Amino acid sequence: MFRFRNTLPLRIRIYLRKCCLQAVGLLHHLADGVGGIVRQTRFILRAAFAIEGIGALLLALRFVPRFGLARGLWYAVFHAVSAFCNAGFDLMGRHDGPYSSLTAYAGDPLVSLTIAALIVLGGIGFLTWYDIREHRLRFRQYRLQSKLILCATAALLLGGFLFFALYEFRLPRWEGLSVEKRILAAAFQSVTPRTAGFNTVDLAALSQPARLLMILLMLTGGAPGSTAGGFK
């Protein structure tokens, strides 16, 4: 009994000390986690604004001469944000006809490639950006998720481009397009179906296989944690 009375307070003290140490460790972990979240959020916001800003400046080179300074800048910002967010909204219907989207720029590399790049950057996901920033070109050090996203994105873009370039845009219905426009349209149409919604050619004129491919790309969508939709 004497031993029990003397050892019980010691055991309680040891237990309480362990609890305190665990609590302190948990607080440090939470503090690091919150700090990491804040840093990642700051990085995401800065990167998003920078990418959209660069995209808007590039689009302004085409839109300002056509629509004037104020409207051209507004159109540039609107379409840059819409493309980056994979929204697909455009303001061209009032100028180029209903449902025209970006068909007036089918042969314009600056507009087509800028919009396509914004769509891809928004669709690969924010964690993938973080991996690229932290590890640069050291692909082996990326998260497994980032590796899968980048490989799948490259495969889908390449597969879509080859289909449109080697099959769809070689059909007689597209004879009016020059070789340069066909290649550019093939690149653009391989990007935009993945929930972005823009188009540089008349979608109603696409063949049945092309429409099926676009539906599959829409269902696939973009990466988890990205601005794109779809199954991911």
Side-chain angles (χ1 to χ4, degrees), residues 49-226:
F49 282 120
I51 292 171
E52 291 172 345
I54 294 172
L57 290 176
L58 293 175
L59 294 176
L61 297 177
R62 289 291 184 270
F63 293 161
V64 170
R66 181 182 179 187
F67 302 113
L69 181 60
R71 179 170 294 181
L73 289 175
W74 161 239
Y75 277 25
V77 172
F78 182 93
H79 289 88
V81 174
S82 180
F84 178 78
C85 294
N86 281 238
F89 298 116
D90 68 85
L91 303 174
M92 298 303 174
R94 61 186 300 181
H95 302 283
D96 301 320
Y99 313 112
S100 58
S101 190
L102 300 176
T103 53
Y105 300 94
D108 191 327
L110 180 62
V111 173
S112 295
L113 296 180
T114 298
I115 294 292
L118 289 169
I119 293 170
V120 172
L121 290 173
I124 62 175
F126 305 120
L127 292 179
T128 307
W129 295 2
Y130 200 76
D131 259 347
I132 295 173
R133 190 194 74 165
E134 290 296 314
H135 305 297
R136 306 296 179 182
L137 298 179
R138 297 186 293 274
F139 186 75
R140 293 184 178 180
Q141 298 182 15
Y142 288 8
R143 297 182 181 89
L144 177 60
Q145 173 179 303
S146 299
K147 294 178 181 178
L148 292 174
I149 288 170
L150 293 174
C151 291
T153 298
L156 291 171
L157 293 178
L158 179 60
F161 171 77
L162 292 176
F163 172 84
F164 282 107
L166 300 180
Y167 173 77
E168 177 62 26
F169 291 127
R170 297 182 67 181
L171 297 176
R173 69 189 69 180
W174 302 107
E175 289 181 351
L177 294 179
S178 64
V179 175
E180 293 79 7
K181 283 188 177 181
R182 293 184 188 189
I183 294 174
L184 196 58
F188 190 85
Q189 292 306 136
S190 68
V191 173
T192 188
R194 296 174 62 195
T195 76
F198 294 102
N199 59 282
T200 56
V201 296
D202 184 6
L203 298 183
L206 293 176
S207 65
Q208 292 296 328
R211 296 181 188 183
L212 177 60
L213 176 62
M214 291 185 69
I215 291 173
L216 295 176
L217 291 174
M218 291 177 193
L219 289 173
T220 303
S226 72

